[in-house]
Amino acid sequence: MTTADTASTASTADTAPPTLASPAEPWSPAEFEARLRAVGEEYYHHRHPFNIRMHSGSLSPEELRRWIVNRFHYQRHIPVKDALITAKLPTSDLRRMWLRRIQDHDGAQRGEGGIERWLRLGEAAGVDRETMLRADSALPGVRLAVDGYVNFCRLGSTLEAVAASLTELSAPDLMRTRIDAFERHYPWIESDGLAYFRTRVAQGRRDSREALDLVMDWARTRDDQERAVAALRFKCDVLWSLLDAVERAGRREQG
């Protein structure tokens, strides 16, 4: 081959378009659902050391009250993130379905709903509601984690925002564990204060079933499926970050 032929061959190779890799095949519905559920099994905050200590009865009253106050900052933002998700939904039927979640937490009228039940949990544990309602009661790390989740629901796709809510797949089992732990280890908290946990068992089953159906229907490509799994992992990270902040605050006070 002459020098000219070599140069021509090299020039052709340099200018040839790159070969694009074929997109990955979508996971089967069964595998996709299994991957979503595996995120909850591995990364949901039931495995966090603080929750493990809570459920084993190892928390002091002060530690438990600190968690109740800081978790309330998350609770009060649940209807906010659900309002953002509702605004993204494309049909009246879907918006009506998701609006029920807002009512579950805000209540149909004053004195009802999950936020009110959490305030009553605080009161049963010896925390006045004025303390919980103050914006500065939550730790900076808790506020940062909650802001991150709300902004994720605001800025992310509809699929990602709904997929992030699938921590509800794991919530009913956690609620049952928590009810048993509080009744067994923290009898100084009045039983009526546990109404939030009892209510969320049924609500969590319903909400997770509805959200899972949407995610399974919407995520048809491998890319969408991976985005959904990543969104759920992100939500688990939010819940862990919240508990990290609460646990670190306790260590600082002890040190």
Side-chain angles (χ1 to χ4, degrees):
M1 180 180 292
T2 66
T3 302
D5 290 336
T6 303
S8 175
T9 301
S11 175
T12 301
D14 289 342
T15 59
T19 302
L20 298 177
S22 300
E25 288 293 318
W27 295 313
S28 69
E31 182 178 1
F32 180 34
E33 181 175 345
R35 286 176 179 268
L36 289 168
R37 292 184 180 276
V39 171
E41 291 168 5
E42 187 170 356
Y43 299 108
Y44 189 55
H45 64 165
H46 67 304
R47 293 182 179 272
H48 193 283
F50 188 88
N51 267 337
I52 291 173
R53 290 202 300 122
M54 180 192 297
H55 298 150
S56 67
S58 301
L59 295 186
S60 68
E62 183 180 2
E63 288 176 311
L64 199 54
R65 292 183 185 115
R66 182 184 301 112
W67 171 74
I68 289 171
V69 169
N70 281 278
R71 174 74 186 200
F72 178 71
H73 187 72
Y74 172 83
Q75 299 298 139
R76 74 195 305 179
H77 283 84
I78 291 176
V80 176
K81 67 89 178 175
D82 280 327
L84 293 167
I85 295 175
T86 302
K88 295 175 180 287
L89 296 172
T91 68
S92 296
D93 286 342
L94 290 178
R95 289 191 292 272
R96 277 191 293 268
M97 180 185 77
W98 214 270
L99 276 170
R100 188 187 60 236
R101 296 176 181 235
I102 299 175
Q103 184 168 304
D104 284 345
H105 285 275
D106 278 339
Q109 57 188 2
R110 185 183 294 273
E112 297 180 352
I115 291 177
E116 174 63 25
R117 283 189 286 271
W118 196 273
L119 289 168
R120 292 176 183 173
L121 168 64
E123 290 174 328
V127 183
D128 62 88
R129 63 176 55 210
E130 288 74 18
T131 297
M132 285 186 284
L133 288 168
R134 285 205 320 265
D136 62 352
S137 292
L139 294 161
V142 170
R143 295 199 299 269
L144 185 63
V146 173
D147 285 350
Y149 181 39
V150 171
N151 283 324
F152 182 83
C153 293
R154 176 183 290 113
L155 301 175
S157 68
T158 311
L159 171 63
E160 289 169 319
V162 172
S165 76
L166 286 175
T167 48
E168 293 283 7
L169 289 168
S170 304
D173 288 342
L174 180 64
M175 293 300 104
R176 287 192 293 268
T177 298
R178 188 159 288 164
I179 292 166
D180 179 68
F182 272 59
E183 290 178 339
R184 179 178 305 185
H185 301 300
Y186 310 107
W188 51 272
I189 297 178
E190 298 174 10
S191 180
D192 289 348
L194 307 183
Y196 177 85
F197 305 138
R198 296 189 180 101
T199 302
R200 287 307 297 168
V201 173
Q203 288 178 349
R205 288 199 194 99
R206 179 203 64 201
D207 291 350
S208 62
R209 183 175 60 251
E210 292 173 346
L212 181 61
D213 287 346
L214 292 178
V215 170
M216 296 296 293
D217 183 48
W218 291 344
R220 300 297 182 87
T221 68
R222 176 68 167 271
D223 183 62
D224 283 343
Q225 291 173 333
E226 291 178 347
R227 287 177 186 275
V229 171
L232 179 53
R233 174 66 191 275
F234 167 79
K235 173 64 179 304
C236 289
D237 289 343
V238 167
L239 297 174
W240 270 72
S241 295
L242 189 155
L243 289 177
D244 283 345
V246 173
E247 190 167 51
R248 282 195 301 270
R251 289 174 184 165
R252 284 196 298 270
E253 290 187 5
Q254 292 173 2

